[in-house]
Structure formats: C-alpha cells, structure tokens
Amino acid sequence: MSRPSTASLATPTGIATFTVGGEVAQSFTLTVADLRDGWPQHQAEVTFDCATSGPQHHRFEGPLLHDVMRTAEPGFDPRRRKDRSRFVLAISGGDGHHTVLSWGEIDPDFAGSPVLLATRLDDTDLDAAGSQLVVPSDRCGARYISAITSIWAGACRPAHARMPTRSVTTAGPEAVAN
C-alpha cells in the first residue's frame, strides 16, 4: 500500500479530489463524499503483503470502480464484449504511484473483480487523505493506490497499429559486408 498524501489535488478546504477522464463521454471531478453519496458502498476485508511493512490486514469500504466508471460512459459499445475488452484504466496517486487495470478485470461479464474506490479505511473516513484503489484479489499491495489523483480510461491499441512499420533485416553484419 502506498502512503496517503493530501498534497495532491486537495481543495483549499483540505478535501482531496480526483479526476475521471480519457476516452469517456462524461469527464468529472470527485471527492470521497461524492463516492460515498453517489454509489452503493461495498466492504472488503483484505490481507496483502507490503514490500516495506510485511503482511497488512485492513477493512475498506467504497463503491465499485466498475460502477463509477460506467457513469463516465467509456467510449465503447457496452453491448459488445470485444469492444469492452480492449479498454484499460490508468490510476494515479498523490504519492507518485500508478497502476493499470484492464476493463475485463472489473467487468462482471469477464473477471468481475470487486475493485473498490475506498471511502473508508479501518473505520476511518478518507475525505482528507483521498480515495484509495483497493484490489482485493491481489496478493501484494502494489496496486493499492493511495490518494487517487486521476483515473484515465481508454482503448488499448496494439503498438503496430500506432507506429510506422519499418523493414527488419534478419541477417547479421557479416551478410551486409559480403
């Protein structure tokens, strides 16, 4: 788990915010209170290994990432599974940590992992510290992003579809010299 930070995107009143954007119909900014009031809350009791602190045991509460992102209306046809399966989510935290999830990890038609945007950690509200990404299925805490500053959603495009092609020679330098 990364350390919470209130320095990023904190309002003058000390309430942390984060943005949701990318290839979505509705970009918006949220607070922890927005997450608590706008979507059903789910609980997760988790245990994960932290590289610096050893095993961690915590109880989190918050809405499902999937529910919040559906509100943003990602730029895919929700009726087409293959269209949804090419989308990724990039989550950034106030302490500089980042992670990526595939839409398939959170979509109930695929893995349906109950990934949370935490509003509470061990019965403590996260309004000042900011929401935390919680991936209950992970054995290690590397994708537990604290003090979320942004969530970006977009299509994963293969590298060959974006980059110009070039010819590759498979012969070694001796073939060129001859």
Side-chain angles (χ1 to χ4, degrees):
M1 174 184 343
S2 48
R3 297 266 181 236
S5 166
T6 56
S8 62
L9 291 184
T11 64
T13 59
I15 297 174
T17 64
F18 68 92
T19 59
V20 175
E23 295 177 32
V24 297
Q26 304 283 330
S27 294
F28 44 80
T29 300
L30 294 172
T31 64
V32 170
D34 295 332
L35 291 172
R36 194 171 25 255
D37 298 339
W39 292 271
Q41 301 295 288
H42 299 264
Q43 292 184 353
E45 294 206 22
V46 301
T47 300
F48 58 87
D49 290 324
C50 178
T52 58
S53 306
Q56 300 288 304
H57 309 281
H58 294 288
R59 194 174 101 225
F60 293 96
E61 183 176 321
L64 295 174
L65 174 61
H66 181 260
D67 293 346
V68 174
M69 292 309 298
R70 282 187 46 197
T71 302
E73 301 177 32
F76 54 68
D77 182 344
R79 298 166 299 182
R80 297 182 59 214
R81 289 184 183 149
K82 287 187 178 181
D83 205 20
R84 293 184 318 223
S85 71
R86 66 187 175 84
F87 258 63
V88 295
L89 304 169
I91 300 94
S92 298
D95 59 0
H97 284 83
H98 311 280
T99 197
V100 177
L101 296 167
S102 71
W103 185 266
E105 288 180 84
I106 64 170
D107 190 316
D109 284 343
F110 296 98
S113 182
V115 176
L116 299 180
L117 294 174
T119 60
R120 294 176 59 81
L121 164 62
D122 297 331
D123 298 321
T124 301
D125 290 335
L126 295 174
D127 293 84
S131 182
Q132 181 167 332
L133 183 73
V134 177
V135 188
S137 59
D138 280 7
R139 187 183 63 74
C140 74
R143 295 198 302 177
Y144 282 62
I145 303 298
S146 295
I148 296 171
T149 57
S150 67
I151 301 174
W152 177 90
C156 178
R157 292 176 181 80
H160 69 274
R162 291 184 305 222
M163 298 175 65
T165 58
R166 64 177 193 190
S167 60
V168 177
T169 305
T170 56
E174 65 282 348
V176 176
N178 290 333

